[in-house]
DNA sequence: AATTTATATGAACGGTTGTTCTTTTAGATA
DNA sequence: TATCTAAAAGAACAACCGTTCATATAAATT
């Protein structure tokens, strides 16, 4: 099948493009540099993608896919601290995943320039997590596990440090600097947070 | 004095350049667009600045100037919650200052692409605040105002949400969306945090 | 008022950008 | 093996980039 060769270079294009976009952003990445990295000419790219933006959109396709499902939140939240610990473990895994990290870099670079990305960040990334955590905290409050308060605000206070630590890790890893000191922050955050809300 | 006319256009260049850099980043801002916004030709820019980078560096000159001085921390920290409330008030003022907001946007856009900026962010922005807060929390712990813990970690937990809220405000304001819901988060954070650490 | 000095203009440069086109090449089909 | 098809190459394009330079202009100095 001719599909094989075609899809093979298409995959190579996406891979190379992702690395370049993550390093230099959309404007800083030219179609020639992508093609060169793949090992083909720039004109050959157009056999696989309509234009540069199409490449970018394909690269960014699952930039907001999240491991956090709303499924079973009502039940899982009753586990209290264990629920939060599990949430943080998954958040940490994503933070240290090479591919997810590249997408995170792209997101942070384009976040302030691309309105669509910005909207998706707030909806898919922020609000999704806040909604999930809010629901969980609401359950915990009703179950008497934590002290009563505004669940959404509690969710914000819990999520914010995770994002900040992830950003720091990303920044350090760009320059290949060690992140060992930061990796324990996630678990410490759960302990600190739980101590402050638990009844 | 000829200085007058010169410095007038130089100021205009910096102003226009800052707005464009904040909106479209370094690569997305051309010297022609800066000149056009000022109302002069691109060649005239070079009478005031050596090159594009010199304009950018001038714009970014006080990107990391902070209202938080280490002066009197030892004494002020003894006020406990009031110290934190004051810190947050200043942080909030900076977040809603139009000029500081533009610089913050530029910083966030270039942070993942410009190594120097990244280094300065970690040193001047992050570590500076963490050092200041660490010192304050250490004093509070010794004074018996808050429960003993790692001061630096406590500082991280206190600072992280502030940054996250500021980022959200920035993102919303780019699209001219209301930020009223977010403006109260700063004060709520102080209350929430103090309740979790106070003895 | 005449001269000097600094700022603005307009054209031009070499280079890069995204994209399109025709031609060549290589793999799949018959 | 001959034919068809899809991917690659190579050249070219118009537009834009940062920067330079000779020239014109307006302001400041004498």
């Amino acid at each position: 099948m001719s599909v094989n060769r075609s899809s093979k270079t298409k995959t190579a294009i996406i891979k190379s493009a992702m690395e370049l976009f993550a390093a230099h952003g959309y404007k800083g990445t030219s179609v020639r540099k992508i093609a060169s990295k793949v090992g083909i000419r720039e004109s050959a790219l157009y056999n696989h993608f309509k234009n540069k933006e199409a490449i970018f959109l394909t690269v960014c396709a699952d930039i907001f896919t999240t491991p956090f499902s709303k499924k079973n939140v009502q039940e899982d939240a009753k586990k209290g601290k264990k629920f939060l610990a599990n949430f943080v473990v998954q958040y940490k895994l994503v933070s240290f995943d090479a591919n997810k990290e590249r997408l995170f870099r792209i997101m942070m670079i384009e976040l302030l320039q691309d309105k669509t990305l910005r909207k998706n960040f707030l909806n898919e990334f922020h609000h999704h997590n806040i909604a999930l955590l809010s629901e969980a905290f609401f359950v915990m409050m009703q179950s008497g596990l934590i002290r009563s308060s505004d669940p959404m605000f509690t969710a914000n206070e819990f999520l914010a440090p995770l994002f900040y630590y992830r950003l720091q890790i990303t920044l350090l890893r760009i320059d290949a600097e060690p992140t060992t000191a930061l990796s324990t922050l996630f678990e410490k955050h759960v302990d600190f947070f739980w101590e402050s809300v638990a009844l």
Side-chain angles (χ1 to χ4, degrees), chain A:
Chain A
M1 284 182 285
S2 72
V3 183
N4 240 324
R5 183 162 72 123
S6 177
S7 71
K8 207 166 188 176
T9 58
K10 189 163 185 172
T11 307
I13 291 166
I14 294 169
K15 182 173 147 58
S16 294
M18 190 185 291
E19 288 172 18
L20 289 169
F21 283 137
H24 310 106
Y26 183 81
K27 285 165 192 156
T29 303
S30 68
V31 290
R32 276 174 182 80
K33 281 177 191 160
I34 298 172
S36 170
K37 200 175 171 83
V38 174
I40 56 176
R41 293 265 139 157
E42 63 271 16
S43 51
L45 284 180
Y46 290 85
N47 288 322
H48 304 275
F49 294 94
K50 189 191 152 202
N51 52 26
K52 185 187 177 184
E53 201 195 353
I55 301 174
F56 183 74
L57 291 177
T58 305
V59 166
C60 294
D62 54 349
I63 203 169
F64 293 116
T65 55
T66 167
F68 312 114
S69 164
K70 272 199 175 184
K71 234 177 169 182
N72 302 327
V73 171
Q74 295 281 341
E75 203 177 334
D76 292 347
K78 289 176 186 165
K79 292 188 228 163
K81 190 181 176 182
K82 276 211 174 165
F83 175 88
L84 297 180
N86 182 55
F87 184 93
V88 166
V89 164
Q90 289 184 266
Y91 198 97
K92 193 178 168 181
L93 277 173
V94 168
S95 300
F96 281 95
D97 176 79
N99 216 50
K100 285 282 174 190
E101 194 188 357
R102 283 187 209 102
L103 291 176
F104 186 74
R105 287 190 202 180
I106 296 172
M107 188 189 76
M108 289 306 295
I109 294 173
E110 304 302 328
L111 197 55
L112 285 91
Q113 303 178 255
D114 187 329
K115 183 162 182 172
T116 307
L117 203 71
R118 200 157 51 235
K119 204 180 145 194
N120 286 337
F121 169 80
L122 288 173
N123 288 334
E124 305 295 322
F125 200 82
H126 175 70
H127 289 149
H128 174 87
N129 282 334
I130 290 296
L132 181 115
L133 288 169
S134 291
E135 199 178 326
F137 285 127
F138 182 75
V139 170
M140 292 183 204
M141 286 171 192
Q142 282 201 318
S143 307
L145 290 170
I146 62 174
R147 57 185 162 99
S148 266
S149 174
D150 174 12
M152 192 170 285
F153 173 71
T154 310
N156 265 291
E157 288 283 313
F158 181 72
L159 186 65
L162 299 180
F163 179 86
Y164 192 68
Y165 299 152
R166 181 178 187 181
L167 178 62
Q168 277 189 76
I169 288 167
T170 301
L171 294 180
L172 288 173
R173 281 165 73 99
I174 293 175
D175 304 317
E177 283 178 34
T179 55
T180 43
L182 285 167
S183 68
T184 59
L185 283 181
F186 289 93
E187 289 83 1
K188 286 178 81 174
H189 171 62
V190 178
D191 291 336
F192 178 87
F193 188 85
W194 187 256
E195 209 166 327
S196 71
V197 296
L199 282 173

